[in-house]
Structure formats: structure tokens, C-alpha cells
């Protein structure tokens, strides 16, 4: 007979406000098998855990139910406490009476009754819990970093500097990400290239970083400590070992009019190109869609002029399998495109702002390229339409962001600051120009941020107009911007030469399909979800996968770098151990009843089910049964639900346990 | 977002019949989604009891029958969206299994309105509230489900010595 101890937590007032915890403890105490029940203000605190340990020792408690928050929050905490008192940790279960009860109901009676039932169900379940041994698995002390922007670079450098090998995968031909496109960065106005490119070179030269550019993650298998990642290295058509980066091929390429994506399509590039002069690696890529050789079979000029003979038209995509123990995801963002509405998207677009129709209405990133010394205009602010210097410039904030009815309800966080920066850059370059900013409110928390914003108004003469723009249209070579100044209560009309839209940041297009490969969760905007908003902000719910940068939510460079270093620290923590303990939630086969139909083998997504021969002492084959490799099994339990003879059982979620819960209804 | 109804501080009504809803959910998506509904302090009817599974692929259809036998008036099965399964493909197996199982339930005369399948991700607290509220209201309107409960009693009880006292004694065991 089990002697169950039930511990009901008040969670300060979070539970006790709506649930009568004393009554729950009293009612549950009457259930058969419950030897001890009590309530306490903070069960997770040291005295609370002490209470559990003391009861285990003094009351000879054999099974524990903690009625408190979600097991996703504190299951580990309580299992550890139970283990410290000498019980097997898997004899402890949590009844979720906070997230699933006290927080979602207001009626005290109703919530109390529900809580009693929830705890009752867990009491019946825990009676059937078995002692489970912890499984240890080895850790592969190599890490994969997906994305070579500032976040990915920082994480890769930190992990590599700690002495572990890193595989860095970047989709574009060069690492650098968005930060390489920026001109100067807030709040110090230091040049982005100057602080970014040395880090890029560090990555390329690091003995422990293996860099795959122009590559994508194709497939991920395995689990924490033991992932197998397949990387697709796309055909560059240039042999990286032979290429010296002299650039003759790019000079000679006859195709020259391809819009340069890196310059936000302001400039052009040849068909064989590096995205920007400071690219790492400095190895060109042939854009096969636009190359005459690939389109018609003729030309081949680059091959003729290449001294080292690095051009290889026959090169094919390569699939490389990399074993790693941890994965840092740092895929970054795309800017919300207000002209092209992504397919199937709930986002509605802003036709009224004329983006895509009026050439001098540009987005913030395009302005960065105009202001950048390495940009298409050499750092001069010039209108894309006629190359004239704009004397009146209008910045519109919150385009896309904070507009529920348009599809995005979040704040993009960086726009207030970068628009303030843009007004400064503009003022520095066009001394007789005037900048106007339409804004809802300025959000400038951060060290030296508000001072920076104020400087743009007080010293750099930007005019801030509180209100949104209702319409803009082209009139001659001017753009008329109409809006309202709600602070003064008047309508405003500005004849501008250029309009810059602070469009929202969004996760990379295709972020969801990468999440599906990795088995991590994401929200409705495709931002990746962290395991806990406050206490586990860089970890995914999926063990061994960590997040860095904007792929998790909008953030500026300092935040992205901090998060990247935090993710790296988490990886190092993982790599500090040689063996990793993992939850023993794995399937086991009851060989006596298994008939060897292998239905389980067909449904197992991990290939964990093997065939095992049962022989007698003379060595005669009796039958072939299924065997689940506990090192490979991920513990989903699909095999158990599939098994016709009910011969597979998932430890921790056995039929006995689940049925006991249903019967406690 | 505009579509999402938030049942914050909904006015409390008294009903003559409160259905029992049992929810079989996966731990990675829907359980986490229900947690999010909690942390966001959304409000929904207290009729639902949640059973956590590692994956919807683990959910044996027999559990649904068992739930009806044990007095559930409605059953909800919910997991990760197609393609988002933490275990690669468990939800696809579940989907196939339940597509076939629904036919069986229909054949034996269970009103399929009592059974709901849904995909609720870890970020969809609002959707969890919506699904639970809708199912509760629908089942409440349908009234209690007794057929299976009676059947369960018949199964255990030969019927020859049918007296209320004995039944009571039997139930107490």
C-alpha cells in the first residue's frame, strides 16, 4: 500500500486567492492511500521543500503529489527535493492547480472543486508510478550555430573561445547579417562595419569554427547532447580552396545589371559576386539564375580569366552530416515588406504609403545603405529617383508595428532609436535639410537611449510630430505627406523630397519551416518561443536548443549580443559534463506478449525500434520481438498507442497510469 | 488578433447542468498553450480536466471510450499543429488514428459533437480558451451523456443480483 503525501501550495496568493487550499488538503487527505496532506505558502521555497523532505522521512511517505504550478515550471525542483530525501524522483508528480485552475477561474467554489479533482487524479496516477532509473548519455561537445549575423557570430566566438568546436551555418554567401548593412549604430554612432568586420574575420580565422556559408540546415535528428545535423552546402560554382578572392571574375562578368540585395536593390552587381566588399569568406558565388553560362551554355568568361582555375560550373550541392551536442538558433529578421504581401499572411499591407510605387518612399534599411560609406552612393543621402539631395525628409514610425488591425500587434523595439539616429545622420550629411518624424510615442528605454533621442530633437533639429500619417501622394517631384498633429490638434501637410518608413521587424521568412526541422515552438508571428519568458529566456522547450537575437523577438544589437553570449554560456554549461542525465521516459517492450508484428517500428520516427531474437538454451530461435533502444527513443509513445497486443509501454505514461487518471474522474 | 475572443471577466451564469469535459493534450503544444492561458489570466469554464501526454501520438483511442464510460460528457484531443510535432510525426499518426476512430464512434452511436480535435500551439493561449469554451457550451446544450456510463455498469455487473445496495457496495470497492 502506498503512503502518498500531498502538498498543496498557496503560491503566495496566486492559488489561495481563488482556491481554498486548506479544503483541498483536507479533502484529498481522505482519499485512500493518502497518508499525509498539508498546505504551505510557498512550496517551492526552501522551507517548503524542507516540509516535503521532512514528511518523507518522518511520515514514511512513498509517493508525492505537489499541487502547485505547472509541471513545466517546477517539476524538476520538486523531483530534486524528493530525490534528496531518498525517494526515486519519478515517484513525485505535480497537480497543476495554478495555470489550469486558480488563474483561469474566478468562482472560488468552482475552482476549489476543480482543484480537488485535479489533485485526486494525480493521486490515482502517482499510485501507479514506478521507480525509474536515470538514463545517462554521452555529450558531443560540438555546437551548431544557425545564422551568421551579429548574434550567431557572438555565440560562435564565445563557444569556440571556451574551447569547443563550432559549426556556423549561414544561408547567404557571406556572414554579417543585417548589422553589416547598417551605417552607424545607436546610441554611440560608431560605424557598424568598423565594429562588425573584425568579428567576422575572427570567425573565419578561428581554429575551432567551421564556417559553412551559402548553406542551409536540411535536416536535424537526435536529441540534446547527440544531434545529427545535415547541412546543405549549396553549389557556389567556385572552388573555395582554389579561389584567392582577387575579384577579376567579377570585373570581367558581362552581366552587370542585377539588383544588389545587400544594397536593398539600390545598386547593381554582376552574376558572379560577393555581396559586399568586406564579405567573409571573400569567395564569390555564381548566381545561376542570371548567369549566361547557366542560361545558354555560352560565355564562360569568368573561367577563362580565373588564374587559379577556381571556377567550377559542374559543382553540385553537397550534404554534410555534422554531429553536435547543442544548437544555437540565431536566424534574425526580415523587414516587413509593405508592398509585397507574403502569401497566406494575415498581414494587410499599407498601400496608402506608396511604398513600391513612389521611388522616394523607402524603408529604414534602404536609408541605412544610403547613409553607409560603403553603400551605393558612398554615404551621400540621395533620392533613388533622380539622385538629388532631399531637403525635406519625413520619417514615419510604427509602420506595421503596433497595428493589430493590420496584422502585427507587437512593438518592433528598434525603430524609435534608429529613426532618431536617421535624423541625426541626415542632419550631419545635409546641413540645410529638415527632418520630420511622425510618431505615436517614443520608446527609448536603455542605457543612454533617451538622451540620444532627446539629442536628435534638441541639438539635431528634428521635428517630431505626434500623430500618424493618413495619406501621402506624389505631386511633381515632391511627396505630399498628410497627417495630424494630435498634440496641437491640427492637420499637417508637408511637401517632402523623401519619405522613410520605419517598417516592422519580422522573423525570417521560412522561420517556421526551420522550427519544424528543429522541433521547437514558435508563436503566430513565427518568433521562436523561449522555455520561460523570464527565467529561461534563451532556452527552447526542446532541450539542447538555444535562441539568440531577433529570431526570438525584436531586439537591438546590445540585446542580441547579450542573448547570444547567454546562449553560449548555456551551451558551455551543457558541455561542462561528459555524461548527460536524461529523463527515463522511454518505451519498453514486454517480450512475453510481443508477437513481432513491428507495427511499432513502422510508426517510430526515430528508428529506435530494433528486432531482437529470442533463443532457447540450445540456440534455437523461438521468436523475434521488438526492442526499443533507450538511447535513441525520444519518448513520444506513438508505438504504445499503435501496438495491437499492448506490449510496448512508455515509462512514466503507462496505460495503468493514464487509465487510473481517467477512472478518478 | 481581432478574431480572438478574450473571455476576461465574463459574466458568470448558473446552469442546471455542468458537463464534464476531459482533455487529452500533448505536453509540448497544447499543455503549454493552456499554461499560457493561465499566465495571461484568461478565463474559461471550469469543466475541463486536463490529462497530459508526451504527444498526441501516445493517445490510445481506448482512452476516449474509457473517458465516456467514466462519465465524461465531452472529450477534447489536442496537440501540436501539423508539421510542428515535437516528436516529428506523432500528431500525424494521431490524426490518422482518430479519423478512423471517429467512424467507429459514429457507427456505435456516439454523437461526434461530443468529441473535439484541435491543434493548439504553445503560443495560442487564446485559442485554448476558445476551444474549451466552445466545447463546454456545445456539450452543455446537448445534456449529459449516459449511454456509456450505463454500458460500463452493465459490463461489470451481471445484472442477476441487481439491487441498489449491491450496486453501491460494488461501486465502493
Amino acid at each position: 500500500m502506498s503512503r502518498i503525501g500531498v502538498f498543496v501550495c498557496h503560491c503566495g496568493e496566486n492559488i489561495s486567492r481563488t482556491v481554498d487550499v486548506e479544503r483541498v488538503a483536507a479533502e484529498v487527505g481522505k482519499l485512500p492511500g493518502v497518508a499525509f496532506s498539508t498546505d504551505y505558502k510557498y512550496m517551492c521555497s526552501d522551507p517548503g521543500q524542507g516540509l516535503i523532505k521532512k514528511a518523507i522521512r518522518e511520515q514514511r511517505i512513498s509517493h508525492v503529489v505537489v499541487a502547485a504550478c505547472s509541471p513545466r515550471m517546477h517539476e524538476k525542483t520538486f523531483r530534486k527535493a524528493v530525490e534528496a530525501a531518498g525517494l526515486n524522483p519519478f515517484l513525485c508528480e505535480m497537480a497543476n492547480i495554478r495555470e489550469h485552475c486558480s488563474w483561469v477561474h474566478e468562482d472560488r467554489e468552482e475552482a476549489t472543486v476543480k482543484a480537488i479533482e485535479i489533485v485526486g487524479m494525480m493521486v490515482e496516477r502517482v499510485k501507479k508510478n514506478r521507480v525509474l532509473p536515470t538514463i545517462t548519455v554521452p555529450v558531443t561537445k560540438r555546437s551548431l550555430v544557425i545564422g551568421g549575423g551579429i548574434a550567431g557570430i557572438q555565440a560562435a566566438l564565445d563557444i569556440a573561445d571556451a574551447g569547443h568546436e563550432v559549426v556556423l551555418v549561414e544561408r547567404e554567401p557571406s556572414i554579417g547579417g543585417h548589422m553589416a548593412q547598417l551605417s552607424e549604430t545607436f546610441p554611440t554612432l560608431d560605424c557598424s562595419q568598423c565594429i562588425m568586420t573584425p568579428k567576422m574575420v575572427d570567425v573565419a580565422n578561428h581554429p575551432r569554427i567551421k564556417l559553412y556559408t551559402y548553406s542551409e540546415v536540411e535536416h536535424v535528428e537526435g536529441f540534446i547532447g547527440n544531434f545529427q545535423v545535415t547541412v546543405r552546402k549549396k553549389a557556389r560554382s567556385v572552388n573555395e580552396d582554389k579561389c584567392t578572392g582577387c575579384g577579376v571574375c567579377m570585373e570581367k562578368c558581362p552581366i552587370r545589371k542585377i539588383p544588389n540585395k545587400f544594397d536593398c536593390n539600390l545598386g547593381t552587381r554582376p552574376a558572379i559576386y560577393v555581396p559586399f566588399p568586406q564579405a567573409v569568406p571573400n569567395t564569390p558565388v555564381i548566381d545561376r539564375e542570371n548567369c549566361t553560362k547557366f542560361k545558354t551554355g555560352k560565355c564562360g568568361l569568368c573561367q577563362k580569366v580565373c588564374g587559379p582555375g577556381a571556377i567550377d560550373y559542374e559543382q553540385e550541392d553537397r550534404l554534410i552530416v555534422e554531429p553536435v551536442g547543442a544548437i544555437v538558433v540565431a536566424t534574425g529578421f526580415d523587414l516587413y515588406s509593405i508592398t509585397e504581401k507574403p502569401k497566406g499572411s494575415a498581414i494587410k499591407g499599407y498601400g496608402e504609403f506608396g511604398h513600391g510605387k513612389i521611388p522616394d518612399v523607402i524603408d529604414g534599411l534602404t536609408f541605412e545603405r544610403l547613409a553607409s560609406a560603403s553603400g551605393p552612393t558612398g554615404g551621400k543621402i540621395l533620392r533613388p529617383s533622380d539622385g538629388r539631395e532631399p531637403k525635406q525628409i519625413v520619417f514615419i514610425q510604427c509602420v506595421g508595428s503596433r497595428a493589430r488591425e493590420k496584422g502585427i500587434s507587437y512593438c518592433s523595439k528598434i525603430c524609435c532609436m534608429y529613426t532618431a539616429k536617421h535624423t541625426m545622420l541626415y542632419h550631419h550629411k545635409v546641413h540645410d535639410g529638415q527632418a520630420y518624424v511622425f510618431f505615436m510615442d517614443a520608446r527609448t528605454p536603455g542605457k543612454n537611449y533617451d538622451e540620444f533621442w532627446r539629442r536628435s530633437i534638441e541639438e539635431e533639429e528634428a521635428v517630431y510630430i505626434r500623430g500618424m500619417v493618413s495619406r501621402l501622394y506624389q505631386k511633381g517631384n515632391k511627396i505630399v505627406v498628410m497627417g495630424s498633429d494630435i498634440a496641437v490638434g491640427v492637420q499637417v501637410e508637408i511637401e517632402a523630397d523623401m519619405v522613410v518608413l520605419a517598417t516592422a521587424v519580422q522573423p525570417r521568412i521560412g522561420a517556421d519551416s526551420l522550427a519544424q526541422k528543429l522541433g521547437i515552438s514558435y508563436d503566430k508571428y513565427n518568433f521562436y518561443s523561449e522555455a520561460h519568458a523570464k527565467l529561461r529566456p534563451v532556452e527552447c522547450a526542446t532541450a539542447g536548443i538555444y535562441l539568440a537575437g531577433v529570431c526570438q523577438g525584436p531586439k537591438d544589437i546590445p540585446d542580441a549580443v547579450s542573448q547570444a553570449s547567454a546562449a553560449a554560456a548555456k551551451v558551455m554549461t551543457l558541455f561542462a559534463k561528459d555524461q548527460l542525465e536524461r529523463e527515463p521516459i522511454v518505451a519498453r517492450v514486454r517480450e512475453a506478449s510481443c508477437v513481432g508484428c513491428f507495427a511499432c517500428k513502422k510508426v517510430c520516427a526515430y528508428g529506435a525500434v530494433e528486432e531482437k531474437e529470442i533463443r532457447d538454451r540450445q540456440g534455437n530461435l523461438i521468436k523475434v520481438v521488438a526492442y526499443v533502444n533507450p538511447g535513441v527513443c525520444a519518448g513520444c509513445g506513438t508505438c504504445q498507442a499503435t501496438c495491437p497486443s499492448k506490449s510496448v509501454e512508455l515509462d512514466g505514461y503507462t496505460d495503468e497510469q493514464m487509465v487510473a487518471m481517467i477512472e478518478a474522474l | 488578433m481581432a478574431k480572438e475572443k478574450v473571455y476576461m471577466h465574463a459574466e458568470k451564469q448558473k446552469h442546471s447542468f455542468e458537463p464534464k469535459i476531459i482533455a487529452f493534450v500533448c505536453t509540448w503544444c497544447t499543455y503549454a498553450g493552456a499554461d499560457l492561458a493561465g499566465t495571461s489570466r484568461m478565463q474559461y469554464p471550469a469543466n475541463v480536466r486536463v490529462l497530459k501526454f508526451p504527444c498526441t501520438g501516445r493517445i490510445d483511442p481506448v482512452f476516449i471510450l474509457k473517458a465516456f464510460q467514466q462519465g465524461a460528457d465531452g472529450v477534447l484531443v489536442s496537440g501540436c499543429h501539423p508539421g510542428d510535432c515535437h516528436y516529428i510525426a506523432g500528431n500525424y499518426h494521431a490524426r490518422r488514428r482518430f479519423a478512423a476512430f471517429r467512424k467507429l464512434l459514429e457507427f456505435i452511436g456516439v454523437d461526434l459533437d461530443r468529441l473535439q480535435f484541435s491543434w493548439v500551439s504553445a503560443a495560442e493561449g487564446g485559442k485554448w480558451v476558445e476551444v474549451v469554451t466552445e466545447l463546454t457550451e456545445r456539450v452543455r446544450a446537448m445534456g449529459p451523456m449516459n449511454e456509456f456510463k450505463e454500458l460500463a455498469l452493465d459490463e461489470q455487473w451481471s445484472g442477476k443480483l441487481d439491487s441498489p445496495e449491491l450496486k453501491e457496495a460494488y461501486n465502493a470497492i
Side-chain angles (χ1 to χ4, degrees), chain A residues 20 64 86 100 113 118 178 196 213 217 246 311 367 383 414 423 434-435 451 494 505 524 533 556 575 583 598 607 661:
Chain A
D20 183 346
V64 171
H100 289 188
V113 170
I118 292 174
H178 278 114
M196 183 70 178
T213 51
V217 171
C246 68
I311 309 291
F367 187 85
R383 307 209 311 170
I414 58 172
T423 63
Q434 178 60 55
E451 294 90 325
I494 297 167
V505 299
K524 67 174 174 182
D556 54 19
F575 289 173
E583 277 210 326
F598 295 107
M661 282 180 85

Side-chain angles (χ1 to χ4, degrees), chain A residues 14 70-72 75 96 99-100 103-107 110 113-114 117-118 121 125 404 409 516 519 521-524 529 541-542 602-603 605-606 634-638 640-642 646 650 653-655 658-659 661-663 665, chain B residues 1 4 9 12 14 20 22 24 27-28 31-32 34-35 37-39 41-46 48-55 57-60 63 66-67 70 72 82-90 93 97 121-123:
Chain A
N14 280 303
S70 169
R72 294 165 52 84
E75 190 173 69
N96 185 346
E99 280 86 343
H100 289 188
W103 275 352
V104 288
H105 307 309
E106 281 178 333
D107 187 304
E110 215 176 57
V113 170
K114 181 175 177 180
E117 282 193 38
I118 292 174
M121 280 165 87
R125 182 192 208 279
R404 254 198 319 216
S409 54
Q516 291 173 358
S521 50
Y522 50 93
D523 67 12
K524 67 174 174 182
S529 307
T542 305
K602 284 184 204 120
V603 298
Y606 298 89
C636 66
T638 304
Q640 184 174 4
T642 307
K646 296 279 156 272
L650 181 67
Y653 292 91
T654 61
D655 279 351
M658 301 326 286
V659 169
M661 282 180 85
I662 299 169
E663 286 185 338
L665 253 186
Chain B
M1 194 66 196
E4 274 181 25
H9 309 295
K12 194 94 198 91
K14 284 279 168 235
K20 267 192 180 171
I22 187 153
F24 299 121
T27 185
W28 298 98
Y31 195 89
D35 275 2
T39 35
R41 307 297 198 279
M42 294 169 178
Q43 303 288 310
Y44 58 84
V48 67
R49 303 288 175 271
V50 175
L51 258 75
K52 179 166 75 89
F53 290 81
C55 178
R58 165 69 188 88
I59 301 166
D60 195 321
F63 294 155
K66 194 82 199 166
Q70 292 298 323
D84 293 357
C85 181
H86 180 79
Y87 298 104
I88 304 168
H93 289 296
R97 202 179 286 147
S121 86

Side-chain angles (χ1 to χ4, degrees), chain B residues 82-152:
Chain B
D84 293 357
C85 181
H86 180 79
Y87 298 104
I88 304 168
N91 57 356
Y92 288 127
H93 289 296
R95 185 165 67 176
R96 287 193 153 207
R97 202 179 286 147
F98 295 126
F101 185 67
R102 278 175 74 87
K103 291 274 170 212
L104 177 73
L105 278 184
E106 201 174 12
F107 175 74
I108 60 175
V110 174
D111 193 332
L112 291 182
D113 279 348
R114 293 186 181 275
L115 187 59
Q116 168 96 36
F117 296 92
S118 67
W119 314 118
V120 175
S121 86
E124 293 177 327
K127 188 174 175 194
W128 167 255
V129 172
E130 219 170 283
V131 167
V132 168
T133 311
E134 270 173 30
L135 180 64
T136 307
E137 275 165 14
R138 194 166 73 213
V139 174
R140 185 184 284 132
M142 291 169 79
M145 159 127 176
N146 289 321
E147 298 88 335
F148 269 62
K149 268 179 260 181
E150 285 158 13
L151 212 63

